[in-house]
Amino acid sequence: MCEKVIKEKQKNLKTHLNDFIRKPALLLVFFLIILSLLFSSPQQICAITLKELGNSVAKLARDEESLIEEIIASETEVENKRRKVESLNEELVILGEELAMLDKTRKELAESIENKKEALKEKIVFSYKYSNDDVTKIVTSAGDLNEVLNNLYLLKNIMEGLADNIEELRFEKEEYQRISRKSEEKRKEVENMRDTVKKEEEELLKSIEDNKVLLEKVKGEKDEVQSLLNEIKRRIAMIQPPGLTLIGEWDMLATAYYAFGKGGNDINGNGITAIGLRARKGIIAVDPRVIPLGTRIYIPGYGEALAADTGGWIKGNRIDLCFETYEECFRWGKRRIKIYLIED
């Protein structure tokens, strides 16, 4: 009997202990859920707002203007490059003429050098004949002193002329090589400069084509955004409610729910929304990741509403509208609509 009582007490103690542990755990889970709802909701409105669209149009217009200015500047630079290439081509023509003249001079110099070589050869032969021991023969073979002096003077002139001819040949050859080298270097320099300018011109032309493609893209995007902005403004003007300023638009799938069952019994919990308001017409359930709780909304065919509740099935671009009667819920059903952000 005592053992039975002890076991019964142990069982009761265990049950109380489990209850004691379970309740704080449930409270902790509830607390975490509340925190997740509070802190996971984004602060940014995800609607297509007129301000954002206007800013996009303005930015695209600035991008368009900047691209046009860049294209004009590039086209001007291309024209400058083309004029530079033409100038360099003209310079190459002049250099070509100079090189042709140098080639003619080269041929004349070559002929002159050959002639002087022959003359030099003759002088060398003559000098050889009358040099060294032959000088004695010139002196001894002379009939008188005048002839000796004349022969010596002739020999002296021959030797001096020989030296002058050698020096002249060396100078002419060096001068020709210097002029030819300088002209050829100038020609190569101009050709390299021309090729560089042509390459720069080709790069500019490619840049212009790329910018023109980008410009058309920007123009297309601007036209699309402007058309969307005009369309939203047109739709707002068609449904503009008195006393409200609509500044944005969402595409939504809208369903209906009734907060209270027969006899006033709540069929959706206790009738209190996620932000502590009682469910009634004008309260809508939203996905806080799309529409932040507390956002004021205007819904054509429904009226002004407040995003104040959430739901397990309300995810993404879907909302649930609270109605006061079953009949209103049935009439609404489920439909794809556009809803509008109200300016605070």
Side-chain angles (χ1 to χ4, degrees), residues 275 277 280 282-285 293-297 304-309:
I275 63 173
L277 298 178
R280 64 182 187 279
I283 296 293
I284 63 173
L293 293 173
T295 303
R296 294 171 63 208
I297 304 294
E304 185 176 353
L306 180 68
D309 205 0

Side-chain angles (χ1 to χ4, degrees), residues 272-340:
I272 302 301
T273 68
I275 63 173
L277 298 178
R278 182 164 293 278
R280 64 182 187 279
K281 186 173 182 180
I283 296 293
I284 63 173
V286 299
D287 183 346
R289 296 170 301 177
V290 179
I291 302 177
L293 293 173
T295 303
R296 294 171 63 208
I297 304 294
Y298 179 75
I299 304 171
Y302 183 79
E304 185 176 353
L306 180 68
D309 205 0
T310 59
W313 295 97
I314 307 304
K315 302 295 181 185
N317 283 21
R318 181 169 180 172
I319 58 174
D320 213 5
L321 314 183
C322 185
F323 286 94
E324 295 177 349
T325 65
Y326 277 121
E327 289 75 13
E328 289 177 305
C329 290
F330 292 142
R331 281 199 299 271
W332 183 269
K334 181 170 72 172
R335 62 182 74 172
R336 180 72 62 179
I337 62 169
K338 294 184 183 298
I339 66 173
Y340 297 89

Side-chain angles (χ1 to χ4, degrees), residues 18-42:
N18 288 336
D19 290 338
F20 179 78
I21 294 171
R22 189 182 298 114
K23 287 179 180 178
L26 291 173
L27 288 173
L28 179 60
V29 171
F30 180 76
F31 180 72
L32 291 174
I33 291 172
I34 295 298
L35 283 179
S36 66
L37 287 174
L38 289 174
F39 292 103
S40 65
S41 301

Side-chain angles (χ1 to χ4, degrees), residues 136-151:
T136 306
K137 293 179 181 179
I138 293 174
V139 174
T140 56
S141 64
D144 55 28
L145 181 60
N146 286 333
E147 189 177 353
V148 171
L149 293 176
N150 287 335
N151 289 340

Side-chain angles (χ1 to χ4, degrees), residues 84-96 98 182-198:
K84 181 68 174 176
V85 169
E86 290 175 1
S87 175
L88 290 169
N89 283 333
E90 291 174 0
E91 190 171 349
L92 284 172
V93 170
I94 295 172
L95 283 171
E98 290 179 357
K182 185 176 179 181
S183 298
E184 187 64 27
E185 288 173 355
K186 181 65 175 177
R187 184 182 64 81
K188 288 182 179 179
E189 179 185 343
V190 174
E191 284 181 347
N192 291 337
M193 189 182 302
R194 181 195 60 185
D195 294 341
T196 300
V197 174
K198 278 186 174 181

Side-chain angles (χ1 to χ4, degrees), residues 192-230:
N192 291 337
M193 189 182 302
R194 181 195 60 185
D195 294 341
T196 300
V197 174
K198 278 186 174 181
K199 185 177 180 181
E200 291 173 354
E201 178 189 342
E202 290 171 359
E203 290 174 353
L204 280 169
L205 288 172
K206 185 178 184 304
S207 175
I208 289 172
E209 290 304 315
D210 292 342
N211 282 337
K212 284 182 177 179
V213 172
L214 184 58
L215 177 62
E216 291 303 314
K217 183 179 178 181
V218 169
K219 283 182 177 179
E221 290 179 1
K222 188 188 74 171
D223 292 342
E224 288 179 7
V225 176
Q226 185 66 59
S227 297
L228 179 59
L229 176 61
N230 294 339

